[in-house]
């Protein structure tokens, strides 16, 4: 594969947008300027919704019409939820779910 | 820069080390499986330095997504960084030459470490926060590089490693649910995206989801801002 120009442009874009999001408040609100209420509101409620959106995004390619009907993904997802409820330790839940999924894929 | 400060910062960063090495490792493998090797992995971890964004970034690169889609997705996923920065404005105000890097390196985990009140006094605290940020960034790059390099030589089939991305978001979703943080908003996120996926198909649903989620959240502003 030759040098992938499109991929490098996308990476630069992700980098610039991420850096902008981190720097803008320091530039805009560093003086005495009041932070708009709507910005604060979105900052509070948006992250929860976006995490929900990303859960569906990650599961978007499950095909429920062919075997094993998405059962591996759904069971592994359930393992993550259960481990998180019991342990409240995200790293443990991520590892438990991912290892289970890899085992399902290789041995079932 | 005294040794004591370095060891203090290192000890404080230790809990993040394990997480960043493991999640970074998974990202390195994922990116390698997508056809992008060590230099790509290091470049992304060096310049983007946002865990969940980089995982989603792999699918944006392989799709390949348009520029507009990439900007919008990055904005939605990383919008929360606006609020980390807002809450650090006064804290980082006099950080001087450390300030640009401190702001650049403000990830979720680093924010969690530097936003408490346990830090050295005087100008030492800026060095302390700088070192914590630097250590964390280093763990992240190191984990990523390890994943990329060792992806092919692991003694087992890594094809299921892609599930680590799903697991990251499912764990985060469950955790915010348990912490009773904005449950209505969390339900809106899931339901809107699920509907959009069914209506628009698996390639086109993300942008409509983002727009509808933002619109609903703005409409429900008076209701939700009192806390749900």
């Amino acid at each position: 594969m030759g040098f992938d120009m499109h991929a490098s442009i996308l990476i630069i874009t992700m980098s610039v947008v991420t850096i902008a999001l981190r720097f803008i408040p320091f530039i805009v609100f560093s003086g005495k300027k009041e932070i708009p209420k709507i910005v604060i509101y979105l900052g509070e409620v948006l992250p929860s919704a976006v995490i929900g959106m990303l859960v569906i995004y990650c599961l978007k390619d499950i095909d429920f019409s062919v075997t094993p009907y998405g059962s591996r993904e759904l069971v592994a997802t359930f393992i993550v939820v259960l481990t998180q409820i019991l342990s409240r330790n995200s790293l443990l839940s991520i590892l438990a779910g991912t290892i289970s999924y890899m085992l399902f894929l290789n041995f079932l | 820069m005294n040794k004591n400060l370095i060891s203090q910062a290192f000890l404080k960063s230790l809990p993040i080390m394990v997480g960043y090495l493991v999640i970074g490792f998974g990202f390195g493998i994922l990116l390698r499986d997508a056809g992008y090797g060590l230099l790509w992995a290091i470049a992304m971890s060096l310049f983007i330095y946002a865990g969940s964004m980089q995982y989603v970034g792999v699918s944006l690169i392989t799709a390949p997504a348009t520029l507009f889609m990439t900007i919008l997705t990055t904005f939605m996923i990383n919008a929360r960084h606006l609020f980390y920065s807002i809450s650090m404005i006064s804290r980082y105000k006099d950080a001087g030459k450390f300030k640009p890097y401190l702001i650049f390196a403000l990830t979720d985990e680093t924010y969690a470490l530097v936003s408490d009140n346990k830090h050295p006094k005087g100008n030492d605290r800026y060095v302390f926060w700088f070192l914590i940020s630097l250590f964390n960034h280093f763990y992240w790059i190191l984990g990523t590089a390890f994943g990329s390099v060792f992806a092919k030589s692991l003694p087992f089939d890594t094809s299921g490693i892609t599930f680590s991305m799903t697991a990251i978001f499912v764990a985060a979703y469950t955790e915010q649910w348990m912490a009773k943080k904005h449950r209505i908003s969390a339900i809106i996120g899931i339901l809107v995206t699920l509907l959009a996926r069914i209506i628009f198909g698996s390639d086109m649903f993300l942008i409509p989801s983002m727009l509808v989620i933002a619109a609903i959240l703005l409409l429900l502003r008076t209701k939700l801002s009192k806390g749900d």
Side-chain angles (χ1 to χ4, degrees):
Chain A
M1 183 167 75
F3 182 71
D4 191 334
M5 190 55 113
H6 191 75
S8 34
I9 291 172
L10 294 192
I11 289 172
I12 293 167
T13 307
M14 289 181 242
S15 171
V16 169
V17 176
T18 306
I19 290 172
L21 288 168
R22 286 172 181 160
F23 273 84
I24 283 170
F26 282 90
I27 296 163
V28 179
F29 303 119
S30 264
K32 285 261 150 65
K33 221 170 166 190
E34 190 99 0
I35 298 160
K37 286 217 169 73
I38 195 146
V39 174
I40 295 175
Y41 165 71
L42 278 181
E44 273 176 22
V45 295
L46 200 57
S48 314
V50 169
I51 299 280
M53 178 187 86
L54 290 172
V55 167
I56 301 297
Y57 177 73
C58 290
L59 298 171
K60 73 184 160 79
D61 292 318
I62 297 180
D63 191 341
F64 290 101
S65 62
V66 291
T67 47
Y69 312 105
S71 57
R72 292 163 176 154
E73 284 82 0
L74 293 183
V75 174
T77 299
F78 180 71
I79 289 171
V80 177
V81 172
L82 201 65
T83 314
Q84 187 64 26
I85 290 173
L86 295 176
S87 73
R88 302 297 291 270
N89 179 334
S90 301
L91 191 61
L92 189 67
S93 318
I94 292 164
L95 284 175
T98 307
I99 292 169
S100 313
Y101 183 76
M102 291 169 82
L103 292 175
F104 298 159
L105 214 57
N106 285 304
F107 298 108
L108 290 184
Chain B
M1 199 179 294
N2 68 59
K3 262 193 183 151
N4 185 32
L5 210 53
I6 298 176
S7 61
Q8 268 186 63
F10 175 68
L11 284 177
K12 181 128 184 174
S13 74
L14 271 181
I16 307 299
M17 183 165 87
V18 185
Y20 271 17
L21 286 176
V22 173
I23 310 276
F25 195 85
F27 168 75
I29 296 177
L30 194 67
L31 192 64
R32 163 77 65 182
D33 285 350
Y36 298 86
L38 182 63
L39 282 179
W40 291 95
I42 291 177
M44 286 181 79
S45 291
L46 192 61
F47 297 120
I48 304 175
Y49 189 28
S52 25
M53 185 57 226
Q54 285 180 227
Y55 271 83
V56 176
V58 178
S59 39
L60 290 178
I61 292 169
T62 47
T66 61
L67 204 58
F68 175 70
M69 170 89 172
T70 304
I71 293 172
L72 197 61
T73 309
T74 311
F75 181 84
M76 288 293 280
I77 295 177
N78 283 338
R80 66 185 188 285
H81 289 292
L82 282 172
F83 307 96
Y84 296 156
S85 290
I86 287 173
S87 72
M88 298 305 276
I89 287 175
S90 57
R91 185 167 287 233
Y92 282 171
K93 206 173 82 192
D94 300 315
K97 62 182 175 191
F98 297 113
K99 197 171 170 182
Y101 183 75
L102 283 173
I103 298 172
F104 166 78
L106 208 49
T107 61
D108 306 61
E109 287 75 9
T110 304
Y111 175 76
L113 288 189
V114 297
S115 59
D116 72 10
N117 281 319
K118 292 173 205 141
H119 54 75
K121 289 194 171 90
N123 277 336
D124 272 1
R125 69 193 143 153
Y126 301 119
V127 185
F128 179 68
W129 290 329
F130 174 76
L131 288 170
I132 290 174
S133 306
L134 198 66
F135 282 137
N136 285 350
H137 199 176
F138 177 71
Y139 305 144
W140 179 244
I141 296 170
L142 196 68
T144 300
F146 278 158
S148 182
V149 170
F150 296 119
K152 291 277 177 277
S153 53
L154 290 175
F156 49 85
D157 185 355
T158 58
S159 52
I161 199 84
T162 48
F163 191 80
S164 58
M165 173 165 146
T166 314
I168 287 170
F169 296 125
V170 172
Y173 192 88
T174 310
E175 183 52 36
Q176 73 186 11
W177 188 271
M178 300 291 287
K180 298 198 168 87
K181 268 170 79 182
H182 305 289
R183 285 181 172 176
I184 293 177
S185 181
I187 293 170
I188 292 169
I190 288 254
L191 282 186
V192 168
T193 316
L194 191 60
L195 272 176
R197 165 66 184 84
I198 293 167
I199 296 169
F200 295 101
S202 75
D203 295 326
M204 301 290 289
F205 71 102
L206 205 52
I207 289 177
S209 307
M210 293 183 208
L211 298 177
V212 173
I213 287 170
I216 294 179
L217 288 178
L218 287 174
L219 282 173
L220 294 179
R221 188 175 163 195
T222 42
K223 240 185 189 140
L224 292 185
S225 52
K226 288 172 193 136
D228 47 24

